[in-house]
Amino acid sequence: MRLARFSLNDAPRYAFVQKDPVDGKDYLIELDGHPLAGDQVKPTGNRYAVDADGVRLLAPVIPSKVYGLAKNYEAHAQFMHEAGHSEIAHAPENMVIFTKPSTSVIGPDDPIVYPACSKDMNFEPEVAVVMGRIAKNVPVEKAMDYVLGFTCVNDVTLRDLQGLDPTWTRAKGFDTSCPLGPWIVMRDDLDWKDAKISFTLNGEDVPMASGTTANLIHGIPEQIAAISSFSTLLPGDVIMTGTPNASGHLDPGDETIVHVEGIGDLRNVIVRA
């Protein structure tokens, strides 16, 4: 099952996404409430094609906060070292956790704004976890019970500022730095232990950016347990699980597409500030 947030020339609405068996197109089955607010929701009877005039997919959630893990794949840690971005040649033993504010979140096809303070914007395709329940001090073995589902994320990073600032507040938390979408695939409908990630830049595959969550150093249940030990995770909060391999430079005009097998495509274009 897939859960989407969309607009139809007005305020945001929620919908389940279903593929029509006849024409093969995706349709939004509108819901009468907010599924993350604890409401019992049901279909309104309205159905809209995802590509219909006036329909716009939005970020599937607006989280109260976003957490991310840095160097959570050995291949990415080695890439960062070889590219001169890190003095450490391998992934650290302990989790490196950072945050993005809710104002960094945008949705499918929304523009990523290249801020004037940077000259080196980078892409980082990842799988994002969306929480479905309040989670505090959750044990590893129970962690997945608190997950609603998964979506695609591009952890857009200002690499030059990341190297300059003692914290990553500007490098990771600038407006539009957290594209999410196109929708949430429910927890039991994705092989989250081996979700395959790929990336396309201007219509060309970038093989060195691809990978699978099977190679995560700290798995998803471990991430939830660690973060919930110091921070209360609320329904809709997001955890970016890490980028699997190489990242790369972006310029204004570039088209980025994050693809996660079993979820779909998250497309955004870079624009000047």
Side-chain angles (χ1 to χ4, degrees), residues 232-256:
T232 301
L233 292 167
L234 303 179
D237 281 352
V238 167
I239 299 174
M240 304 183 302
T241 55
T243 196
N245 206 322
S247 60
H249 181 77
L250 295 170
D251 289 307
D254 284 347
E255 178 195 57
T256 68

Side-chain angles (χ1 to χ4, degrees), residues 35-57:
L36 287 174
D39 302 332
Q40 292 293 323
V41 297
K42 61 183 184 296
T44 64
N46 297 326
R47 188 180 89 147
Y48 310 100
V50 168
D51 59 357
D53 289 344
V55 170
R56 177 186 168 212
L57 287 179

